Amino acid sequence: MLEDLARIRASFEKELREAATLDALEHVRVAYLGRKGALASVFDTLKTLPPEERKHAGEEANQLRRDIETSLSEKRTLLELTERESALKKERLDVTRPGVRQERGHAHPLTKITREIIAIFSAMGFAVVEGPEAETEYYNFDALNIPPDHPARDMWDTFWISDPKGEDKTQNAKRKTGERLLLRTHTSPVQIRYMEAHQPPIQIIAPGRVYRYEATDASHDIQFMQIEGLMADKNISVANFKAVIQTFLSQLFETKIEMRLRPSYFPFTEPSFEVDISCTYCRGTGCSICKQSGWLELMGAGMVHPHVFKAAGWNPKTSKMIGDHFAGFAFGVGIDRLAMMKYKIPDIRLFRSGDLRFLKQF
Ligand code: PHE
């Protein structure tokens, strides 16, 4: 028995010396400590020995097992270290290899043109303000002199945050009339919000997203951008409006643009007008874009309705600030529309299509 142990020790030490990898070492471990390994059969034979012999041989066998365990774990630490070192050597960085070029993005065409528009109006003294996109019924409609039966309030034009008829049980349905939320259908509510918080004279633009619940086609989308303008002071007239818009258009299109005012109707302006510009595609000679008319509809505008001043808390009759000849003009222009005219983009839906072939052209 003791001779067997000596033999096992000798052959283990030899195999241990020869094991050069962690895999080889694992084989050695299984061969000696495994369930069918050399030591397992030693312990099996041990059971058959007479008791006086078994005690001594048992101690020796246990000692051998401990030695084997210690040697294996020492060697494992060593092999792990060398294997890690050689792996690190293989991973060396080749600093001369060319890098992977990062693709550079750029601002969206609508962002770009919005910045241009802001720059032009800023130079004329307009401040830039913003309002919420989830707006209350009051600011979007009531305060702008849009009565409850006005068609623009209809579900078909407006995205209500929930059913305006109160038929469902959501938070919004429980709100009072006027406080119900919707996705603003235009940037005009910013006029009210700004006038509530400021005193005349004022001169602002308010760019931002607006939403309309309608069928989409090449010139209509359910989401688009508008820029609102409002200027209110003593002696402001349509002449001031024309001068501001003429300057704006000439700078944006970098050429003199013909414009004309047509009478129109908006509940929050009186008088109201529609601004047309000479077709940027055919320069007014007539084409399919302008339906052979030579003119393109650009924006809605007008002189601020007295009800709107009142709704914002400015009373032309009683306010000391606001006396005779106090007036204001307001306008709302589609930014998408301006971008389409300036860059000759045929379909408004391209802006939000996420199509890189389109976006990379700007
Ligand atoms: N809010 C109007 C629209 O979206 C445009 C407008 C703004 C008209 C200001 C007059 C004055 O159609």
Side-chain angles (χ1 to χ4, degrees), residues 47-335:
K47 289 181 204 143
T48 64
L49 295 182
E52 59 280 13
E53 223 177 296
R54 198 193 301 162
K55 183 165 187 287
H56 182 58
E59 277 166 12
E60 289 295 314
N62 275 324
Q63 184 59 46
L64 176 59
R65 190 179 51 195
R66 281 194 294 273
D67 291 347
I68 289 179
E69 279 167 354
T70 320
S71 305
L72 280 172
S73 100
E74 281 169 6
K75 180 98 187 213
R76 175 171 304 114
T77 314
L78 198 76
L79 285 178
E80 276 171 357
L81 206 69
T82 48
E83 289 198 359
R84 210 176 307 142
E85 270 170 12
S86 65
L88 274 179
K89 265 189 204 133
K90 276 192 228 121
E91 275 178 15
R92 217 173 23 195
L93 263 185
D94 177 1
V95 292
T96 65
R97 246 177 82 169
V100 181
R101 186 180 292 277
Q102 284 286 324
E103 224 184 302
R104 263 182 93 172
H106 61 72
H108 189 277
L110 287 176
T111 307
K112 281 190 173 171
I113 198 161
T114 303
R115 287 178 186 161
E116 277 179 56
I117 296 169
I118 287 175
I120 297 169
F121 278 108
S122 299
M124 288 192 276
F126 284 78
V128 183
V129 301
E130 285 181 313
E133 286 173 31
E135 186 53 282
T136 65
E137 188 177 13
Y138 173 75
Y139 284 109
N140 196 82
F141 295 129
D142 302 79
L144 287 163
N145 199 32
I146 302 177
D149 54 1
H150 193 280
R153 284 198 181 209
D154 205 288
M155 294 226 336
W156 302 107
D157 303 276
T158 308
F159 285 115
W160 293 89
I161 300 289
S162 69
D163 181 1
K165 302 259 175 350
E167 279 155 8
D168 67 1
K169 299 279 170 287
T170 60
Q171 283 276 300
N172 207 34
K174 290 184 206 135
R175 286 176 209 269
K176 275 189 273 173
T177 313
E179 286 172 11
R180 290 179 298 198
L181 292 175
L182 49 88
L183 294 179
R184 65 179 178 188
T185 59
H186 51 180
T187 42
S188 300
V190 187
Q191 290 186 29
I192 307 291
R193 288 185 176 274
Y194 191 83
M195 286 192 280
E196 277 179 348
H198 298 83
Q199 287 300 313
I202 62 172
Q203 196 180 352
I204 55 160
I205 51 166
R209 284 187 201 88
V210 300
Y211 305 82
R212 286 186 197 171
Y213 184 33
E214 62 187 354
T216 60
D217 61 29
S219 47
H220 296 87
D221 206 345
I222 55 165
Q223 182 195 48
F224 54 100
M225 287 191 75
Q226 272 193 339
I227 200 149
E228 190 79 9
L230 174 66
M231 184 166 178
D233 199 354
K234 263 203 165 76
N235 296 322
I236 293 291
S237 73
V238 180
N240 298 116
F241 169 73
K242 282 183 79 173
V244 165
I245 295 304
Q246 187 73 69
T247 307
F248 162 64
L249 292 173
S250 306
Q251 295 207 7
L252 186 69
F253 290 100
E254 292 166 284
T255 173
K256 176 125 174 60
I257 295 278
E258 290 290 330
M259 66 182 258
R260 70 175 186 190
L261 303 189
R262 267 186 301 118
S264 183
Y265 172 75
F266 295 102
F268 37 95
T269 46
E270 180 59 35
S272 305
F273 27 84
E274 205 77 48
V275 179
D276 295 342
I277 60 168
S278 56
C279 180
T280 51
Y281 296 85
C282 63
R283 299 190 167 269
T285 55
C287 66
S288 63
I289 307 271
C290 61
K291 299 194 185 83
Q292 311 305 331
S293 72
W295 296 96
L296 293 171
E297 273 181 32
L298 186 67
M299 65 171 94
M303 301 308 289
V304 180
H305 197 293
H307 288 177
V308 172
F309 285 142
K310 278 206 191 100
W314 292 5
N315 190 332
K317 295 231 167 65
T318 58
S319 169
K320 265 181 264 147
M321 301 279 293
I322 304 175
D324 294 340
H325 307 296
F326 179 83
F329 67 73
F331 62 89
V333 54
I335 296 178

